[in-house]
Structures are given as structure tokens and as C-alpha cells.
Amino acid sequence: MWHSFKRALLALSLLAWLLPAGAQAPRERINLDRDWRFAHGHAHDARQDFGHGLRAFFFAKAGYGDGPAAPGFKDAGWRRVDLPHDWAVELPFDARGDTNHGSKAIGRAFPENSVGWYRKTIEIPASDRGRRIALEFDGAYRDSVVWVNGHYLGREPSGYSGFRHDITDYLDYGGTNTIVVRVDATMEEGWFYEGAGIYRHVWLTKTAPLHVPQWGTFVKTTVAGGRAAIEVDLSVRNDARQAARFTVEHRILDPDGRTLAHTRAAGLAAGGAATADSRQRLILAKPRLWSLDDPHLYLLRTTLSQNGRVVDTYDTRFGVRTVAFDPDRGFILNGKRIKLQGTNNHQDHAGVGVALPDGLQDWRLKQLKSFGVNAYRTAHHPPTPELLDAADRLGMLVIDEHRMMGTSPEIVSQLERLVRRDRNHPSVILWSVGNEEWALEGKPLGTHLAREMHAIVKRLDPTRRTSVATSSSGRGTSLGADVIGFNYGAQHDVDAFHRAHPDKPATMSEEGSTLTTRGIYLDDRARVHLNAYDRQGRPGNSLSIEEGWRRVQERDWMSGMFIWTGFDYRGETTPFGWPAISSQFGMTDTTGVLKDTAYYLKAWWRPEPMVHILPHWNWPGREGQPVDVRVYSNGDEVELLQDGRSLGRQPMPRDSHLRWSVPYAPGRLEAVAYRRGVRIADTVVATTGTPATVHLSADTERLAADGRAIAVVWVNVRDREGRLVPAASNRVDFAVSGPLRIIGVGNGDPGSHEADRPAERHAFIPLSGWRTLALDGADAASAPAAPDVVSALAPDADLARWRDPAQWLPPERQPARTPYLVLRGQFDRPRLAAGQRAMLFVDQLEPGQQVHVNGVPVKPGIVDGSPAVLLDPALLRDRNSVAYVLPTPPDGVAGMFDRSAGTSRWGSVRVTTPAAPWRRSLFNGWAQVIVQSTGEPGTGTLTAAAPGLPPATLQLDVR
Ligand code: GAL
């Protein structure tokens, strides 16, 4: 009976093995962002790196990952974090940090802050046996190493490239599996803030053995005669040993889920452990084209079936549009000339660093669009995939940039991954294979490398052109790709280049680099603040925003201009260096508040009538002095009035601005814009009173209760009449209640050293020097009182006859088994600064175990899910003993000590520096708080309190 039951079970599991496992759920893509354990390791001291690399053979033998890489490692007390996570943004500013990277305490001088360990366990059901399972990282900064269940899987040096590991062979099916990632941000890749950690999403993808591999589709569209031909290149991977025959179906769906076109190919075949490529064509009658105003997307649903059963379903979002770069007419989208009104951007934002929630990608693109930006260059590295999803959805054109020029296998692999990943995005209009490669951009090697990289890109994507951004033209890299990217007009003779290379399209891939601080109108160099009037940032090298744009407007052949930059970013603190911590090149500050130059662009880049005055009109002490007043507008005339009295009506030169010199007197300035004599817009700046209220305003009233959605909240102070006080610098304290958490605060001040993202910080002191003593005669009840126990626990006990449990003894020399033993370790006195506290995390080795610190019994409670004791500083000495008195386990000490793991810690001391409170000072009237759903539904409340003012609250409906 029992036997037949077992046989039946065996047959069942065999069946499960043979069945295409995808039959029930062909493909799963599981987000793994939630609930990682995180701790700082150390860049060169293995002891402070949790002993990683100390175990013999740790890298020589498969499955020998040691320290935190070992599956049995105890990460009790490690911080819980959700991804995306950037630990650099949590660190303090420090003059010894790299000013190009924003002077965070990270890099060579801070080995204790530069390595981060991430650990996570996942359950893999037994029913997954037979499926292919892969871990996919969208990106980690940088030099990351991944282990699964103690097995080293590989290393990714790039902080920007997505990477993937097939972990099918390493998993415990029906068990718990441990994923470990060590990220080392000691070294830099760029010359700007780059963050640190797993700052993009992580996914677990499960498929049947026969499946569409990652990025396995390429959808090419051509439009002619009112129809679109959709050509789909498909790769199918067969990970089974035997060859497979299969059927492919492609279906094009509109956003309502209706099928618009359909094709099917049966009888396709892939060899065992091989990939088969196929190509199919579909026709879309009357395609709705993807454009800036109507970014319409279609879905291609690809279905693979085997023996009549669906084994995989793979979705590809795409758009139908035509793009061209013309050497005479510039950029053309769907047959229409469009000037690229672009900005360059790095990927960090105030508060959160590089760990942007997806919602912030959308928010940033919308902010750029608000002043007319239609194009985005991902300077100088592959973006996160969600940025391109947002660009597809919102209608933003993208130059997708690779990080470094070269043809080594590592660099080529990164370039190929970029193109394969991004080639279905309608927003991507151009591949950039390099930026200002100074060692070679003027040399034949530059031309050669650009050509080689161009060829690699073309092989993977013949539909788009390539470009290189360059600071010297006429030679080198500028000749190697399709489209020349001029960085900064003033350093090129663009007309001479155009005459010499009449068949080469061009963009101004960088222009501007103007240096302005949002809300500042008089330089204050001690505070690293530079006035916000548009002017050249580097005379002789770069142009003002207005000059740059006019030059582009004057040349039909110039496709457009990409301003350096859209947003201020951390690092690259030109011209100050420390104590400045962020750049000032942006059209907005790091939080996204528009600077005046953004209003210049809005005037000429947006169709809506507008008029803008700078500066503000609060200048106490400057009464009677002339103030340089400028007005931006897309009217053809503007009149300026001071306190109702006209200061004149002036014609607005195209793509330019107007100026008045106005003697300051408290009161109001009003600008009225006209078009053909008709009033189209007006605006006022008025002298305000002192701050009377705090004001909060969010970009949304409602959030999804999904643990990811965010709201971006502006913080201002207003005077008694409700007017925003422009130069206010009030300190504001924030608190949240309900299902909300704050994830970052900022104010856009390039000189502010206030915390962006206060976080709890832990340092770990290992317990070491373990010794054991077998206890004769003691029983469970009397053990702690027994004389030999009391003397064994004494802080200064003589340990000479104690045994080192790590030392292997032949069976005949093993001590006789006793009912009880004492296990004693030690740790140095934790140096506690004010506000810090020390916590002892103990291992629970046996039920009935007692814990003593310096001979005093302590009672562990549960902290972060593990037994731990708060250490009373009065109890501590320079050397401290921790002793466990416990019943001897059945297999003795040897069984407790996992020799194969190399080290066993049996506990550690955690020193915690609590997170600073959430607070920020306004900078010139503005600060920003980003709040996020915690995952539960309800009403969330954000409270903002500034000393001396009544607090403000904001409620969000989270559901
Ligand atoms: C360019 C460079 C950018 C940025 C900019 C600052 O040369 O490509 O990354 O450094 O200068 O002006």
C-alpha cells in the first residue's frame, strides 16, 4: 500500500517534470523590490566586511560564498530596505568626498561607507521544478557580485547596464533560497553624482524551457500609403535538451485590448539548448502614429505553443512612427520637421538620489514638458527602463546614450544590452555611442571606434541612426557615426563643418552650461549662489541659453539643441567645488523648481501665451537703486507697469527678452503681453510681507495603495495676503501619519548640507574569541547558580582550559558529553556617541539557553524579528564577555559549529545611530517632500511645522 502510494507520488512528480511547466502560468515576472536586508560592509578590511573572503576556498569552490554570501549567514539586525535604494544619498556631506560626486562621504576615503550588502530570501515552490528561472537586475551602482544559495553567479562592473542570471540550476525547489548582492561603489564611472546600491528594480522571471528570452522581440515599423507594415523579429530559446517544434502567434492589440492584426506560424523548430530566430509581418490599416501630442502605443502579444498548449506569452509595447535626421532639414518625425527642444539629464533627484520611484520619472518628464522640452539625452549612460516607458507614454524624444567608447567584450556586451533592451521604444530616436572622449575624439582612433560601435548598433537596430557627442569636430569621433553631436557651439565652427560634410545631420548635443542659482539675483559666492540672469557660463566656450537657441533657430539644418542640463544634479559643482554639493547648470534646481531660464524657454517653446518677470520684488535696503528687470514672453509687445504707472511698452524681439532698469520701491511690478495689439497674458511680482503660514501642495490628491506610488509635495510660506514669500528660508519639520512614508526632502540649494534622506545607520561589532566549557553535573534549573557556572561566567574567568570550538578534534579526543555547556565570546567596548545605542543580537542555539553579559543575566526581546538585548552602557567594559549557558545539543559543539561556513558568529553587537528627523529649510521660498504609499489603504497626512508659524497639513487619499 505504502509502496504503491510512493510510486504514485513519484509518477506525479515525474509528470510535473515532463509537463511543460508553463502550462498553468506560462510566464511570471515577479518584482523583488520589497524587503531586502542591508548593511554596510568594508572596501578592504575583511573583518569589517563580515568576514567575507576569509574562508578558505571561498572563491575557489562552487557554493563556497562566505560571510554574508553564505546562505546560513545571520543577517539579524540588518536594516530592512525596499528597492530602489541609494545608500549614498543617506550619507553625510564631507569635504573629503569627491566634489564631482556631490561630496558625499563615499569613495576611496570612506571604505566603511562604500560597500553595501543586500540579502533577501525567496520561496520557490516545488511546482517550479522544470521551469527556467532568472534574476534580472535593471542596474546596481556599481561593481556588483551576485550569489544564490552561496553560489557565485557573476559580476557586473557597470553601474548602468541591466544584467541577468539564470538561476534555475541553483535553486532549492520547495525551499527557501537566499539571494545576496555585494555592491562596491568605491570607484567612480562618471564625473557627477552616481549614487550607490541596487537603485533600480530587481525581477524574478519564470518561464517554460521553451520561451521568448529577455528582450527577444524587435518590432520594426514602416509607414506607407496610410498603412503600417509591422515586422517582428523573434528569438525563441529552447532550454530543453531535446529539439522542440512550436507555433508562434503575434497579435497587435490596441489599448482597449482589441486585436487589430494577427499572424500565426506553425511548424517552427528549435534545437536542444538552442535559439531559433524567425520573422513575421503584420499590417496595421490606418495606424495611429506615435507623436509628441498623441503618444499612442500598441501592444504586440506573442504566444508560443507546443503540442497545442500555450507555453509562453510575451508582451512588447511599441509605437508606429517615422523618424529621420536630414542633413538639410534637421529632425523629422512622421514627415514633419520638429526642432529638438532638448535637455541633457543625469538621473538623480533631490531627496532620493538615484533611487527614483517610477512615478518620479513621469513627474520629471512632465516638469520638463511644462516649459516645452520635447527631447531628452540620457547623459552619459543607459537610463533606467522606466524612464523610457515614461517617455513613450508622455511623448518625449530620447537620445539613448552608451557610457564609454570601446570594443572590448565588456563594453560591447554593455552596448548590445542597451540596444536590445531599448530598441522597441518609440521615444528612442538616436543612439549615442560616446561623449567627449578626450583621449581620442580628435584622432583616427576616434573615427575608428565610432565606426565599429556604429556597426554593432546597426546590426542590432538598422532602423535608427547613431551619434557621438564631441567637443572637437572635423576629425576623430565626429566623423565616425551618422549624426554629429556638437557639444557647445562656441567651441566649433558648425557652419564650416556643415559645408565640409554636407551629408551629415547634426544636433547641438550640449549647449548652455549656464551657471545660475534658482531665486538668486545677486551673486553670493560665500554661499555658492550665482545670479539667475541668463548669460554665458564659460565665455568663449559655451553660449547663454538665448544665444544657443537663436543659433539653432537660425539654422534649418541643425536638428535642435540639448541644454546642459534640464535639472540641476548633485556633483560637478562648477565653479565652486566644496562646499557646493550640486551643479547649477539646470533649467530647474534639483527639486524641479523652474529657474528663470526655463521661463525664457517656455516663452519660445510652448504655444500658450505667457509672460514672466524677474527678479522678485523684495529688496529691503535697496530702495531707489536701479534693478535689472527682465521679461520673457511670447507676446509681440510687453508693457511693464510699476505700481500702476507704465514704464513703457516694448516690441519683443523673436527668441529674445526685454529689459527695463527700474528703481526699487516696495510695491508691485506688472507685465502685460500683447499679440497684434490684443492682451494675451499678464503677471505680477509684488513686495510681500513676512511669512505668516506654511503652505503644502501636492501633484495629486490620490495615491494607489501599492507601496510604490508617490506624491511630490511643494512647501512654501506665504504672507498674510497669501503671497509666496520669495526669499524665505524657514526651517520646516515634517511628519506623516497613515499609510504614507517620506522618502526624501530637498530644496534645490547648491550649498545646503541638510540631510536629503535621513536614515538609521548601523555598525556591527562581531563577537569573537569563542570558547566552550563542558559543565559537569549542572541541570537545567540549577545551571546558572551552580558554582562552576558562576565562576565560568565571571568576566575575568580564566579560559585556559576552555576549548576553541572551531578547532577540529578527532573523535577520541572529543570531551565527554555533558548535559550543559557554556559558550563564551567577547567584544570590544562599543564607542557610543551621544544618541547612539548598542544592541546585542544573540543566536538562539537551543531552547533553554541563558544569556549573560559580563556575568549578568540578560533577557533578549525580539528586535527586527531576531532575539536581541539593549546593552546598558553602565554594564560595559573595554573587553566584554557574552556567555550562553545551554543544554548540550545532541551532536555536541561540533554540530553547532558549521565548519563548512568557515566562520560562525553566534551573535553580534549592533551600534545604531538613529535617523535624524525629517526637516528642511526653504531655499528662496521653496522646499520639496516626496511621500510614498506604504502599501496599505487609508488617509495619509503630511504635517509641516515651521517655528513660529501654525502647522500646515495635507491629506492624501491612498487606495
Ligand atoms: C561637458 C560634459 C558634461 C558636463 C558639462 C559641464 O563637457 O559633456 O558632462 O561635464 O561639460 O559643463
Side-chain angles (χ1 to χ4, degrees):
M1 171 70 184
W2 174 241
H3 273 288
S4 56
F5 179 57
K6 259 184 37 187
R7 227 176 304 140
L9 260 185
L10 192 72
L12 262 178
S13 53
L14 254 180
L15 196 68
W17 178 265
L18 292 173
L19 263 178
Q24 77 285 29
R27 165 183 292 268
E28 282 178 87
R29 191 156 193 256
I30 302 162
N31 179 275
L32 293 189
D33 287 354
R34 277 288 170 106
D35 209 19
W36 289 72
R37 292 285 194 153
F38 170 78
H40 286 287
H42 199 278
H44 53 73
D45 178 350
R47 273 177 51 84
Q48 293 186 62
D49 204 25
F50 300 101
H52 175 58
L54 292 180
R55 177 187 180 192
F57 302 107
F58 85 100
F59 199 66
K61 303 280 183 194
Y64 259 49
D66 72 342
F73 176 87
K74 296 268 172 28
D75 53 20
W78 283 27
R79 217 177 110 199
R80 281 176 203 279
V81 297
D82 291 340
L83 309 181
H85 175 235
D86 173 2
W87 85 70
V89 78
E90 299 169 349
L91 294 171
F93 297 99
D94 192 308
R96 292 171 302 148
D98 180 356
T99 187
N100 269 332
H101 271 62
S103 297
K104 286 288 186 176
I106 193 166
R108 286 258 203 230
F110 306 92
E112 70 286 6
N113 290 344
S114 299
V115 166
W117 285 93
Y118 293 85
R119 303 186 91 250
K120 180 174 174 64
T121 53
I122 54 170
E123 303 298 321
I124 297 288
S127 56
D128 274 352
R129 200 183 284 283
R131 302 176 85 180
R132 297 308 296 191
I133 302 186
L135 256 183
E136 293 168 357
F137 292 81
D138 285 348
Y141 190 85
R142 70 177 295 280
D143 201 1
S144 50
V145 186
V146 182
W147 293 264
V148 165
N149 294 338
H151 287 268
Y152 167 83
L153 298 182
R155 166 172 240 128
E156 174 57 54
S158 164
Y160 301 102
S161 295
F163 57 97
R164 171 180 191 277
H165 296 289
D166 187 317
I167 57 174
T168 309
D169 298 333
Y170 297 99
L171 292 172
D172 176 359
Y173 294 87
T176 302
N177 295 270
T178 308
I179 304 167
V180 181
V181 187
R182 183 180 189 271
V183 182
D184 186 346
T186 308
M187 303 293 282
E188 304 172 342
E189 292 190 50
W191 49 99
F192 37 85
Y193 177 85
E194 305 191 272
I198 311 181
Y199 71 96
R200 295 181 180 175
H201 299 302
V202 178
W203 307 91
L204 189 71
T205 297
K206 302 179 178 181
T207 65
L210 188 85
H211 62 276
V212 179
Q214 188 184 35
W215 313 322
T217 55
F218 182 24
V219 183
K220 289 168 282 182
T221 66
T222 44
V223 184
R227 300 178 347 148
I230 316 291
E231 190 173 83
V232 183
D233 287 350
L234 172 72
S235 296
V236 173
R237 172 74 198 169
N238 178 24
D239 277 320
R241 293 222 175 84
Q242 323 72 20
R245 294 184 76 77
F246 59 91
T247 300
V248 170
E249 270 187 79
H250 294 298
R251 211 171 266 281
I252 296 176
L253 306 174
D254 72 7
D256 307 329
R258 268 182 313 150
T259 299
L260 304 176
H262 172 240
T263 168
R264 181 168 185 279
L268 301 178
T275 303
D277 295 332
S278 61
R279 175 172 291 175
Q280 313 227 13
R281 276 168 71 90
L282 298 91
I283 297 293
L284 261 185
K286 297 215 209 97
R288 185 162 150 196
L289 299 187
W290 184 95
S291 67
L292 295 175
D293 300 325
D294 180 21
H296 186 76
L297 296 171
Y298 292 100
L299 187 75
L300 175 78
R301 177 152 295 163
T302 303
T303 310
L304 302 187
S305 24
Q306 233 180 332
N307 308 324
R309 244 196 326 254
V310 172
V311 293
D312 198 8
T313 305
Y314 186 92
D315 287 346
T316 312
R317 218 164 282 284
F318 71 99
V320 180
R321 90 282 182 271
T322 63
V323 297
F325 282 89
D326 186 278
D328 299 317
R329 302 172 60 221
F331 177 71
I332 298 166
L333 177 69
N334 299 328
K336 279 216 307 266
R337 270 167 70 164
I338 290 184
K339 274 278 189 221
L340 297 173
Q341 300 168 174
T343 60
N344 286 277
N345 292 288
H346 289 316
Q347 57 177 354
D348 65 308
H349 189 87
V352 296
V354 293
L356 269 65
D358 296 349
L360 201 50
Q361 306 287 1
D362 284 56
W363 187 91
R364 281 166 61 92
L365 292 191
K366 286 182 190 157
Q367 202 68 359
L368 294 173
K369 281 181 77 112
S370 78
F371 58 95
V373 174
N374 65 17
Y376 185 112
R377 174 168 168 243
T378 68
H380 300 296
H381 53 75
T384 198
E386 289 72 24
L387 173 83
L388 298 182
D389 292 342
D392 287 350
R393 262 195 323 269
L394 298 170
M396 177 71 79
L397 305 164
V398 176
I399 298 182
D400 201 348
E401 188 155 284
H402 177 69
R403 200 185 68 71
M404 183 188 262
M405 291 193 80
T407 54
S408 73
E410 181 178 302
I411 296 175
V412 169
S413 150
Q414 290 162 356
L415 178 62
E416 289 179 342
R417 276 179 274 161
L418 170 72
V419 177
R420 280 186 203 283
R421 187 193 70 174
D422 294 349
R423 62 190 173 173
N424 290 319
H425 287 282
S427 55
V428 175
I429 54 169
L430 191 63
W431 303 107
S432 170
V433 297
N435 174 68
E436 293 195 12
E437 290 290 350
W438 298 328
L440 48 92
E441 71 174 12
K443 298 187 181 152
L445 176 62
T447 317
H448 177 69
L449 283 185
R451 284 197 180 128
E452 290 299 307
M453 296 178 77
H454 165 90
I456 293 165
V457 170
K458 283 301 211 195
R459 183 162 47 72
L460 295 171
D461 178 11
T463 73
R464 292 182 183 83
R465 308 191 83 169
T466 62
S467 183
V468 179
T470 174
S471 55
S472 72
S473 49
R475 297 164 292 148
T477 52
S478 69
L479 305 179
D482 291 326
V483 177
I484 174 157
F486 295 107
N487 279 7
Y488 306 100
Q491 51 183 10
H492 301 267
D493 186 342
V494 297
D495 296 318
F497 185 93
H498 182 56
R499 280 193 300 275
H501 303 276
D503 52 354
K504 229 180 211 333
T507 66
M508 292 305 308
S509 40
E510 289 181 29
E511 189 53 274
S513 278
T514 53
L515 298 165
T516 61
T517 312
R518 192 261 306 155
I520 291 292
Y521 299 97
L522 293 171
D523 289 353
D524 183 346
R525 299 184 76 89
R527 291 205 161 107
V528 305
H529 296 160
L530 295 170
N531 75 75
Y533 293 99
D534 185 26
R535 65 195 175 284
Q536 293 179 353
R538 288 186 299 241
N541 169 273
S542 66
L543 303 174
S544 70
I545 300 303
E546 180 173 323
E547 291 166 332
W549 177 240
R550 286 166 69 163
R551 280 223 197 174
V552 168
Q553 281 288 65
E554 286 158 7
R555 289 166 177 77
D556 283 346
W557 55 273
M558 186 64 82
S559 303
M561 113 166 156
F562 289 78
I563 292 170
W564 191 268
T565 47
F567 292 86
D568 280 350
Y569 50 96
R570 293 178 178 77
E572 212 170 13
T573 52
T574 313
F576 297 107
W578 179 262
I581 49 83
S582 71
S583 74
Q584 314 216 19
F585 302 121
M587 299 297 98
T588 81
D589 68 18
T590 53
T591 68
V593 182
L594 272 54
K595 298 185 189 175
D596 297 291
T597 38
Y599 289 96
Y600 163 77
L601 295 169
K602 187 172 184 175
W604 302 110
W605 284 5
R606 294 281 323 171
E608 311 84 42
M610 64 80 76
V611 57
H612 173 80
I613 303 176
L614 67 147
H616 60 71
W617 212 233
N618 278 27
W619 299 107
R622 292 183 66 198
E623 286 77 4
Q625 293 177 28
V627 175
D628 178 359
V629 174
R630 300 193 193 182
V631 173
Y632 296 130
S633 173
N634 44 18
D636 53 23
E637 276 183 315
V638 177
E639 180 173 27
L640 189 70
L641 302 102
Q642 184 173 24
D643 299 323
R645 187 172 45 85
S646 177
L647 302 180
R649 185 158 161 168
Q650 299 190 45
M652 174 66 80
R654 177 137 195 100
D655 295 315
S656 188
H657 66 279
L658 292 174
R659 266 176 102 154
W660 279 265
S661 175
V662 182
Y664 176 67
R668 70 189 241 136
L669 283 184
E670 182 178 13
V672 183
Y674 297 89
R675 216 177 263 166
R676 283 183 228 97
V678 178
R679 183 180 179 122
I680 55 163
D682 51 61
T683 189
V684 170
V685 292
T687 311
T688 71
T690 51
T693 57
V694 181
H695 191 79
L696 296 174
S697 59
D699 66 327
T700 176
E701 291 169 0
R702 196 165 289 174
L703 285 189
D706 60 1
R708 300 201 315 267
I710 57 149
V712 178
V713 183
W714 293 122
V715 189
N716 308 108
V717 288
R718 299 191 169 187
D719 70 2
R720 235 168 270 294
E721 289 173 49
R723 296 174 300 200
L724 193 152
V725 181
S729 57
N730 303 60
R731 193 196 83 200
V732 186
D733 293 280
F734 303 104
V736 273
S737 60
L740 281 184
R741 57 184 166 196
I742 300 176
I743 60 168
V745 291
N747 66 8
D749 179 355
S752 168
H753 293 181
E754 291 175 302
D756 301 292
R757 189 178 151 82
E760 192 174 61
R761 167 83 197 224
H762 301 313
F764 291 89
I765 303 172
L767 301 192
S768 59
W770 289 98
R771 293 289 179 273
T772 65
L773 186 68
L775 291 179
D776 290 326
D779 65 38
S782 64
D788 53 345
V789 177
V790 172
S791 65
L793 295 177
D796 43 10
D798 174 13
L799 303 185
R801 61 193 185 90
W802 293 52
R803 206 194 125 194
D804 174 357
Q807 191 194 5
W808 183 80
L809 292 178
E812 66 279 9
R813 289 188 43 213
Q814 299 274 352
R817 250 186 68 81
T818 54
Y820 266 78
L821 60 83
V822 182
L823 182 65
R824 233 178 111 129
Q826 58 189 32
F827 65 94
D828 293 341
R829 181 198 292 278
R831 275 191 294 268
L832 297 180
Q836 288 183 327
R837 54 182 200 274
M839 183 89 70
L840 170 70
F841 282 82
V842 300
D843 269 20
Q844 245 162 359
L845 300 167
E846 287 294 319
Q849 154 185 348
Q850 296 149 9
V851 184
H852 301 256
V853 176
N854 293 334
V856 179
V858 291
K859 196 133 205 75
I862 297 297
V863 177
D864 292 344
S866 304
V869 190
L870 186 65
L871 291 174
D872 176 359
L875 187 76
L876 295 176
R877 314 158 149 234
D878 286 342
R879 302 288 287 153
N880 298 276
S881 74
V882 173
Y884 301 145
V885 181
L886 61 152
T888 306
D891 46 358
V893 176
M896 283 163 41
F897 185 77
D898 176 10
R899 190 170 311 281
S900 68
T903 58
S904 184
R905 298 181 316 134
W906 289 320
S908 63
V909 173
R910 178 178 94 175
V911 176
T912 299
T913 315
W918 288 104
R919 73 165 46 137
R920 196 78 199 205
S921 303
L922 301 183
F923 176 58
N924 290 322
W926 294 79
Q928 183 176 71
V929 187
I930 304 171
V931 294
Q932 185 169 49
S933 138
T934 56
E936 297 84 44
T939 301
T941 305
L942 172 70
T943 307
L949 302 181
T953 60
L954 175 95
Q955 296 212 323
L956 293 173
D957 181 11
V958 191
R959 54 164 95 155

